[in-house]
Amino acid sequence: MVTITSPPRPPHAPAATPAPAPPVARPARARARELVARDVEPRRWSRSNSPGWYRVWAVLTAATLAVLCAVGSAAAIRSAGATGRIRSDTAPALLGSQDLFGSVSEANASATAVVLSGATGAEDRSRRSLYVEALNRASAQTEELSTLVGDDATSRDALKQIAVALTTYSGHMEASRRENALRGTEAEAELRTALDLASTDIAGAVDTVTERSQDRFAEERQRGRLITLVAAGCAVVALAALIRLQAGTLARSNRIVNLPMAAATVLVALELVVLGYAGVVRSTALGRAESDGYRAIQATALLQRSGFQLQSQLSLDLLAGQTDNSDTRRLQLTGSVNSNLAALSSIADTDRERAAITELGIRWDRYQQATAPLVEGKGAATPATIREFQSSGLSAFNGFNTTIESVLLDNRSQFTQGVEDADRPTRWLPWLAVIAPLVGIVGVLVGAQRRLGDYK
Amino acid sequence: MTRRRAGGPTVSRRSFLKGGLGLGAVGALGLTGCSFTPSSGGGSDLGGTTQLRMLNWSDYIDPPSEDGSSPGTLERVRAELGLQVAYDESYADSYDGFQIILDRAVNRENPEFDLVVPVNWRAAQMIASDWVEPIPLELVPNHVNLDPAYMSNSWDRGSRYQMPWQTGITGIAYDPALTGRPLTSINDLFDPRFKGRVGLLGEMREAVGLAMLANGDDPSRPTVQGAEAGLNRVREAIQGGQVKVVSDDFDDKLASGELIATMAWSGDTAVLQGDRPDIEFVIPDEGAIQWFDAMVIPKRAANIAAAGRFMNYVYDPANAARITAYVGYISPVLGVQDVLRASGPDGVALADSPVLFPDAAARNRLFTWGGLDPETETRLDDEFLRLVP
């Protein structure tokens, strides 16, 4: 309460000069407002008295919470967005680029087998179906990838290049097949052109798409992490302000807990915990997806590529009558398959995976055993050796290849699961980031008002 | 449909079984190096290891010999693995019969079966619908003995969710004495001279598939137009009285002379040939339909580990050979032919059978139904079933 009195005049004060004409009398209410403004307002916001302290800290804390609301929600939205993009675009693009090369490799191996079988006068129908399916799959995967890479110009250019190259590739393959059926002389040349196209233009473009996808994966992963840290920092500051307000309130109110403020403090503390939890879960899950899933996918894809390349090379050599087992290229590819198998084995982290890789090794041995008699012989392959190769070698290779796909699918599941795990806790984070500070602001203001009301 | 009509195998096959498929013969082949000793507790995620509830087609596994001297596969499983198998043979067909799988396994929180054996296209549907568990590969090292020919299915690349039980060919069986000439083409089934004495199996994918082959279409990569043309051909043949729709009794009707030619399953025909060696089974020039029944583990099955152990057992070539010798269908297990060949004269006869072990040229003429979109398949099924009395 404020009492307004006239100050007493000092005794030695000179006599008052004639008073000027009295001003026009102002209304009492206006005068009261003026006095309040001059005298009371500074004290209202002065921290030296309790009401002022409450007002100052309440406003400061509410402002901090407002900042937390803005930064935290923006951060949470961007973090969830980054994780969501990994789940919906980046991860599928990463997997899709591996799939695409797998399809092209399978088309290569199947097509060479088809051309090879055509040389015997009885084209292998099931291999032909596999070739057509693999090529169709490659085209569909290219289209799908173009929807996943967004506006990334480099990836889009690479995908256009792949689409064109696939058309040219299939043209050469068909020409080779036709030439072979007609006993033409260009069959092998057409086949080699197609295989070269696959191993240079198409493989190079696929690698570009893969690298861009990997870069985006790393960027999105990093982006989410930084933003989460910023939001957590804001939450720490807001929590500190709330705790200070709570401590001051307790000290000035005979230790009576201010419930709205306490609720606000608990809520912001919860937000901080959830932010931390989500950040850790996200980081761990993405790390696991990368280490357990994606690396295994890469190793498996490498294994598949070297296996397919070896298969194509052997088919070509059979056509050309160069079945000498000292062939450098084939030896190199065999070594590559063996080292990739060993790498894959070292990554395996479940009993199921280890069992699948053991099977892979056995099927690879079978393929080598089945083709050993062929590569030991020299000179042009006869229809009989080609038929033998088709019945035993290609069948064994098919077992090896489909087992790779099985392993690949398991690894994909692991990778996808990791990304899903990372995405799950961040989905509802934006809501919490908005609601918690807003409720906190209300709690602080209501709590402070209640204390001020106690004073009145 | 039964994959093997009840009625018993031929004497020669029984005596073959009695003679025993020596395990020693298998060891020499080096294909069964993958032995498995279960841990006592089993994997916690994979459920029980000692109880198995299995649903299969009737008469589709070797029983004990009549004199009790040679146990059947189920008895061997019990003795060698300590695995109790509650074996249910009531699975009857891929249409109404499939309801038993839906009712007692798929639509139950606690499935009544741990292992079921639907035909390949039903298995594909189950996998696509996420109704099955992945095969516990860590318990099935003999998965490596699966013939790669069955690992390329687009619906289960690498065979992660199913393992074929037995494979059959739907081709043509005929009595040469009654046809008066060899039958080599599917079009022979539509020869007016045979009107009313030709059987057509009541399985849409096999009947329409064969008709598609006769029309020059590829049932392994079917188109809607091709399938409809095949169905129309079947419709005309049924409605015109050219063919009679038959089921698992086709072999009886062929044996009795009621039919002189019929669409036929290779295994059932092989059994019939035991009594009637004059009956011919052919893969027509245009090709034949290949199918297989696949072991799948229903989702949430209680004994996944036990199912895995059983699968591993029947994928041992020695054990698979016993089943093959009894049921007369193509085994999907590598090494069975070698086991049979090493087991004696009866086994050699089976090992040399072109129906049990088709060569590469014959395999090139086998087509597995490739599948259309689910709506079209359902429509074709409905239209086909309306033709079946």
Side-chain angles (χ1 to χ4, degrees), chain A residues 106 123-126 129-130 132-133 136-137 351-352 355-356 359 362-363 366 391 395-396 398-399 401-403 405-406 409-410 413, chain B residues 31 34 134-138 140-141 143-149 151-152 154 157-158 160 218 220-221 334 360 363-367:
Chain A
E106 186 177 349
E123 186 178 272
D124 187 330
R125 183 184 54 78
S126 60
S129 291
L130 286 178
V132 173
E133 276 171 22
N136 289 341
R137 214 163 48 234
D351 288 344
R352 180 183 169 80
E359 179 173 345
I362 294 172
R363 290 199 184 272
R366 282 185 191 160
S391 65
S395 172
N398 197 31
N401 176 42
T402 49
T403 305
E405 289 192 34
S406 172
L409 286 167
D410 276 346
S413 303
Chain B
L31 273 161
C34 309
I135 293 167
L137 288 177
E138 61 271 42
V140 195
H143 188 274
V144 76
N145 294 332
L146 171 57
D147 186 334
M151 297 173 74
S152 302
S154 59
R157 300 280 289 176
R160 301 165 72 228
D218 180 353
S220 68
R221 302 171 56 80
L334 292 173
R363 280 179 184 243
N364 206 26
R365 288 189 289 133
L366 298 180
F367 296 76

Side-chain angles (χ1 to χ4, degrees), chain A residues 244-296:
Chain A
R244 176 73 186 91
L245 181 59
Q246 280 285 288
T249 305
L250 276 173
R252 287 159 195 265
S253 59
N254 296 326
R255 301 189 181 279
I256 296 170
V257 174
N258 186 307
L259 286 177
M261 285 187 193
T265 309
V266 169
L267 208 58
V268 173
L270 180 70
E271 181 179 348
L272 183 61
V273 169
V274 171
L275 271 173
Y277 169 77
V280 169
V281 167
R282 180 181 189 274
S283 177
T284 309
L286 286 177
R288 201 174 53 241
E290 191 172 15
S291 61
D292 296 351
Y294 188 65
R295 279 186 203 150

Side-chain angles (χ1 to χ4, degrees), chain A residues 345-408:
Chain A
S345 186
S346 68
I347 295 173
D349 58 353
T350 63
D351 288 344
R352 180 183 169 80
E353 236 179 304
R354 281 186 278 273
I357 292 166
T358 302
E359 179 173 345
L360 202 48
I362 294 172
R363 290 199 184 272
W364 172 243
D365 288 344
R366 282 185 191 160
Y367 171 68
Q368 288 192 300
Q369 284 163 14
T371 54
L374 293 172
V375 296
E376 279 162 8
K378 291 185 179 178
T382 63
T385 56
I386 291 175
R387 271 195 291 274
E388 174 61 23
F389 174 65
Q390 279 179 273
S391 65
S392 57
L394 289 184
S395 172
F397 184 77
N398 197 31
F400 170 69
N401 176 42
T402 49
T403 305
I404 290 181
E405 289 192 34
S406 172
V407 174
L408 200 54

Side-chain angles (χ1 to χ4, degrees), chain A residues 14-279:
Chain A
T17 51
V24 178
R26 285 180 296 175
R29 187 175 293 172
R31 181 170 169 71
R33 256 201 313 267
E34 186 181 295
L35 287 170
V36 166
R38 190 185 67 203
D39 192 34
V40 178
E41 283 299 328
R43 292 167 63 191
R44 184 190 289 263
W45 294 99
S46 166
R47 284 185 294 167
S48 61
N49 60 62
S50 289
W53 189 92
Y54 283 128
R55 288 191 184 96
V56 168
W57 272 100
V59 168
L60 278 175
T61 308
T64 313
L65 286 168
V67 171
L68 172 63
C69 181
V71 175
S73 59
I77 287 168
R78 292 188 70 186
S79 173
T83 316
R85 275 192 300 280
I86 288 176
R87 184 174 59 87
S88 63
D89 297 342
T90 316
L94 263 180
L95 298 177
S97 57
Q98 301 290 349
D99 288 345
L100 176 57
F101 200 84
S103 299
V104 174
S105 301
E106 186 177 349
N108 268 347
S110 302
T112 45
V114 170
V115 174
L116 195 62
S117 62
T120 66
E123 186 178 272
D124 187 330
R125 183 184 54 78
S126 60
R127 284 278 146 188
R128 169 78 183 160
S129 291
L130 286 178
Y131 162 71
V132 173
E133 276 171 22
L135 196 61
N136 289 341
R137 214 163 48 234
S139 297
Q141 283 158 349
T142 307
E143 276 180 36
E144 194 182 338
L145 271 173
S146 64
T147 66
L148 297 171
V149 298
D151 52 4
D152 184 276
T154 310
S155 298
R156 296 195 79 83
D157 288 345
L159 287 168
K160 277 182 200 164
Q161 191 184 338
I162 292 169
V164 172
L166 278 177
T167 309
T168 316
Y169 168 85
S170 64
H172 286 297
M173 281 296 185
E174 289 306 313
S176 172
R177 185 180 168 225
R178 192 177 56 248
E179 279 287 306
N180 209 17
L182 298 172
R183 299 286 182 269
T185 54
E186 293 300 308
E188 193 192 329
E190 290 283 358
L191 184 62
R192 283 193 187 277
T193 308
L195 295 181
D196 284 346
L197 194 66
S199 63
T200 53
D201 290 25
I202 297 177
V206 172
D207 282 344
T208 303
V209 176
T210 306
E211 281 163 19
R212 288 295 303 143
S213 301
Q214 282 173 332
D215 290 347
R216 279 206 311 281
F217 184 77
E219 283 164 19
E220 301 283 17
R221 202 179 154 190
Q222 191 62 29
R223 183 179 298 152
R225 189 184 294 162
L226 285 173
I227 292 172
T228 305
L229 284 174
V230 170
C234 286
V236 168
V237 171
L239 192 61
L242 271 165
I243 290 170
R244 176 73 186 91
L245 181 59
Q246 280 285 288
T249 305
L250 276 173
R252 287 159 195 265
S253 59
N254 296 326
R255 301 189 181 279
I256 296 170
V257 174
N258 186 307
L259 286 177
M261 285 187 193
T265 309
V266 169
L267 208 58
V268 173
L270 180 70
E271 181 179 348
L272 183 61
V273 169
V274 171
L275 271 173
Y277 169 77

